[in-house]
Amino acid sequence: MVQKQGFLVLLALALHASHSQADVAASGSDDPAASPSSSNGDTPGHGIALPAFQPYPVAGAALWEQFTEGSKQRWKASLAKKQDGEEARYDGEWEIEEVSELAGIKGDAALVVKNDARHHAISTTLEHTFDPASDGLVLQYEVKFQKSLECGGAYVKLLKAPFIGEFSDATPYTVMFGPDKCGNSKVHFIYNHHNPISGSYTEHHLNKPLRPPVDKLSHLYTLVIHTNNTFSISIDGSNAHTGSMLEDFDPPVNPPKDIDDPNDEKPVDWEDEEKIPDPEAKRPDDWDEDAPLMVPDQDAVMPEDWLIDEPLLVPDPNVEKPSDWDDDEDGEWTAPIIPNPRCAEVAGCGPWERPLARNPDYKGKWYAPLIDNPRYKGEWKPRRISNPGYFEDLELYRLSPIDAVGFELWTMQSGISFNNIYLGSSESVAAQISEDVWKPKHDSELAVGEAQRPKPPPPSKPSFMDMARLFRLRFEEIGGNILDFYRTIIERGILEALREEKSGAFAAVMAVGGITWLVWNMA
């Protein structure tokens, strides 16, 4: 018997060792240096060598702005006044400085919004008026939200020539493009078109605007207007939307050739109702419009246990008059009223009334049946006439010449930065700027963000007492499983025992042990 017990103990120890080794293998090496979750000890945000800013030359651009030396003199904050002429219309401040959040390039300055909940306006005049009529238009710039933007714009305006006076929301512009997050986030694309009939300018908005990214990384927005009236919008160098200036804007530029005559009126005798009440129909004599929808159910019978004389509410018998109650000063004391407890044990108490049922004689209000209208002429429509304001412009890419570039914004958060603004006609130049200027910065920002991400602490080693406790618990568990396994073998057979055992490796070992035990006892 001692030998049998020793065999079981050795088997349990071996099983515990196999489980312990499996646990170690599942949890990884006990060496913290080998653990993939171990920290390298760097301070968050440190250890990333940022590339240094280098000016990037671009030739042939109407505007190429990297906010280097001399940019402060080129960009002018608006001094426009409010309508009363006393206070500044734009009280928000601007600064050309390096960004402070997720900086990807050392020494890279940008144009930064400095105030929360303010109106901001700033612009720069081009050296030469830019006319997109011949070669189309390419506009590209970077936007970075250094704070979590709740409500604010980050779009750019291309100001129509001639640009004179102080820049404001009333300044005529040719194109407005860029992200806006307030309510429904969108990437604006709006262009102003000159009406050759009225001489006025009308805004035309992209009818299905894109949604912008709103994280703290630098994002690149590119608008290309082609000389075939198509356009494309790219975000971070990837084409996000392609469309037609003739078809994808509200309102459409070209008006319809024909319109409804505004002076045409429907004749007074025009019948446009296809069906009318039958004038010869009469209400039947037995039609009672006053009959109620619901009436007492005459087939209902009062339940036998209904207590007619028992009130629904009674004074609470468990509440006594307070000893300090003075009837002369406090009035006559009455116990609080509670639902009659006797009524809870029966169908009901008090006067019994028949429940309501639908009235079989109910017909409701009588209406004459509808018949075809013999005077029906169809739906009336005003006559169509030639549109006196009709024109057809099939060269919408020939936008108004541009004299300046500006940002006119309302934002609840400061820290919005703008950089690497390109205006010209070359898609290839814009693509090269994306590859050589924006992408290295974006990749560097991603690396900085990853370095600043909090690292999980390394797993701690269990103490000797913890290991002893775990060993005891495991030993007790294995011992119990052994007894249950052997008991099942004896009572229902080894196949049933193996079928109920759910841990495959343990079942195999236990099967060998069980067979050995049986052979041993049979010898």
Side-chain angles (χ1 to χ4, degrees):
M1 184 64 182
V2 174
Q3 290 177 336
K4 297 177 184 177
Q5 292 177 344
F7 170 76
L8 294 177
V9 171
L10 289 174
L11 180 60
L13 290 174
L15 290 171
H16 175 71
S18 66
H19 278 277
S20 299
Q21 291 175 355
D23 290 343
V24 171
S27 61
S29 170
D30 58 356
D31 181 6
S35 173
S37 62
S38 62
S39 173
N40 59 13
D42 290 338
T43 303
H46 291 184
I48 301 295
L50 299 181
F53 170 77
Q54 295 291 337
Y56 187 81
V58 172
L63 175 66
W64 170 236
E65 181 62 84
Q66 289 193 288
F67 297 100
T68 54
E69 184 177 354
S71 294
K72 287 187 177 181
Q73 287 71 40
R74 292 193 297 271
W75 287 84
K76 178 188 174 185
S78 175
L79 300 177
K81 302 291 185 180
K82 292 184 178 180
Q83 291 184 352
D84 57 17
E86 296 181 2
E87 297 184 13
R89 174 73 175 84
Y90 299 96
D91 52 357
E93 298 174 344
W94 299 83
E95 192 64 58
I96 295 177
E97 62 185 14
E98 294 185 50
V99 299
S100 57
E101 291 289 333
L102 286 182
I105 303 293
K106 184 178 181 180
D108 185 22
L111 179 65
V112 181
V113 171
K114 297 300 293 180
N115 307 105
D116 296 341
R118 299 283 184 89
H119 288 93
H120 295 73
I122 195 169
S123 62
T124 184
T125 303
L126 306 179
E127 291 186 11
H128 305 285
T129 298
F130 175 67
D131 188 353
S134 58
D135 298 320
L137 179 147
V138 179
L139 171 62
Q140 178 172 277
Y141 71 111
E142 292 177 13
V143 177
K144 183 181 181 72
F145 300 130
Q146 298 187 71
K147 298 181 180 180
S148 297
L149 187 65
E150 296 177 4
C151 181
Y155 40 81
V156 61
K157 288 183 177 180
L158 305 183
L159 307 183
K160 188 170 75 70
F163 171 54
I164 54 176
E166 293 293 335
F167 177 38
S168 72
D169 57 348
T171 302
Y173 67 88
T174 298
V175 168
M176 187 177 108
F177 172 66
D180 186 11
K181 183 180 186 297
C182 219
N184 294 326
S185 300
K186 67 178 69 175
V187 177
H188 287 290
F189 175 21
I190 307 170
Y191 69 91
N192 270 293
H193 180 265
H194 178 253
N195 187 315
I197 303 298
S198 65
S200 62
Y201 283 84
T202 305
E203 290 183 355
H204 301 274
H205 297 242
L206 181 62
N207 54 21
K208 294 181 180 179
L210 301 169
R211 292 182 64 85
V214 290
D215 52 36
K216 296 183 180 181
L217 298 171
S218 294
H219 291 285
L220 188 68
Y221 291 85
T222 308
L223 169 66
V224 179
I225 298 177
H226 303 278
T227 55
N228 61 356
N229 292 325
T230 63
F231 69 92
S232 63
I233 297 174
S234 299
I235 300 178
D236 294 346
S238 297
N239 191 321
H241 188 82
T242 300
S244 168
M245 298 181 69
L246 287 165
E247 300 172 359
D248 297 331
F249 288 80
D250 290 329
V253 172
N254 294 318
K257 290 184 179 181
D258 298 323
I259 61 172
D260 292 339
D261 185 353
N263 298 318
D264 191 16
E265 297 181 356
K266 184 172 73 172
V268 294
D269 60 346
W270 187 280
E271 293 278 354
D272 54 9
E273 293 183 357
E274 188 174 357
K275 298 285 186 178
I276 60 172
D278 185 354
E280 298 181 0
K282 295 182 179 180
R283 187 179 68 184
D285 295 337
D286 61 347
W287 192 288
D288 185 1
E289 290 186 340
D290 299 325
L293 175 64
M294 305 296 289
V295 294
D297 186 358
Q298 299 301 319
D299 295 330
V301 178
M302 185 179 71
E304 295 181 358
D305 61 345
W306 191 283
L307 305 178
I308 297 178
D309 299 327
E310 195 70 29
L312 292 172
L313 301 174
V314 294
D316 190 345
N318 298 321
V319 179
E320 297 181 355
K321 179 179 178 181
S323 59
D324 59 348
W325 186 278
D326 189 334
D327 289 342
D328 294 334
E329 294 184 2
D330 301 327
E332 182 181 358
W333 183 84
T334 56
I337 302 300
I338 62 171
N340 190 340
R342 291 197 61 191
C343 297
E345 303 171 356
V346 295
C349 295
W352 180 80
E353 296 181 356
R354 297 178 183 276
L356 295 179
R358 186 177 180 85
N359 185 358
D361 297 326
Y362 173 78
K363 294 183 178 180
K365 185 174 178 60
W366 181 84
Y367 294 96
L370 296 179
I371 61 172
D372 292 336
N373 185 354
R375 294 182 299 276
Y376 175 68
K377 295 182 178 181
E379 181 184 358
W380 182 85
K381 295 180 180 179
R383 63 175 171 266
R384 303 284 287 179
I385 61 173
S386 296
N387 185 359
Y390 172 74
F391 65 88
E392 186 177 39
D393 186 350
L394 300 180
E395 296 181 331
L396 300 183
Y397 67 91
R398 291 180 173 273
L399 298 170
S400 300
I402 297 161
D403 255 2
V405 174
F407 297 94
E408 189 265 322
L409 312 169
W410 159 261
T411 176
M412 291 299 295
Q413 280 73 42
S414 60
I416 303 174
S417 67
F418 305 95
N419 207 350
N420 297 318
I421 306 171
Y422 171 78
L423 174 62
S425 300
S426 176
E427 290 185 69
S428 61
V429 169
Q432 202 63 46
I433 292 172
S434 172
E435 185 67 24
D436 297 343
V437 180
W438 170 79
K439 191 175 187 305
K441 177 193 293 186
H442 189 260
D443 292 344
S444 181
E445 290 176 349
L446 289 174
V448 172
E450 184 61 29
Q452 291 179 347
R453 191 186 305 276
K455 302 298 188 295
S460 59
K461 288 186 176 181
S463 65
F464 175 79
M465 294 303 296
D466 290 335
M467 294 179 65
R469 181 177 60 84
L470 291 174
F471 181 84
R472 179 178 58 81
L473 293 175
R474 179 61 61 85
F475 186 81
E476 292 175 354
E477 177 186 358
I478 293 175
N481 290 339
I482 291 173
L483 294 176
D484 291 341
F485 188 76
Y486 286 159
R487 186 179 296 111
T488 305
I489 291 176
I490 294 171
E491 295 176 355
R492 289 182 287 169
I494 189 170
L495 293 179
E496 189 67 24
L498 288 174
R499 186 178 295 110
E500 292 188 1
E501 175 54 43
K502 295 181 172 60
S503 55
F506 178 71
V509 174
M510 291 304 300
V512 174
I515 293 171
T516 303
W517 183 80
L518 290 174
V519 173
W520 188 6
N521 281 273
M522 292 172 63

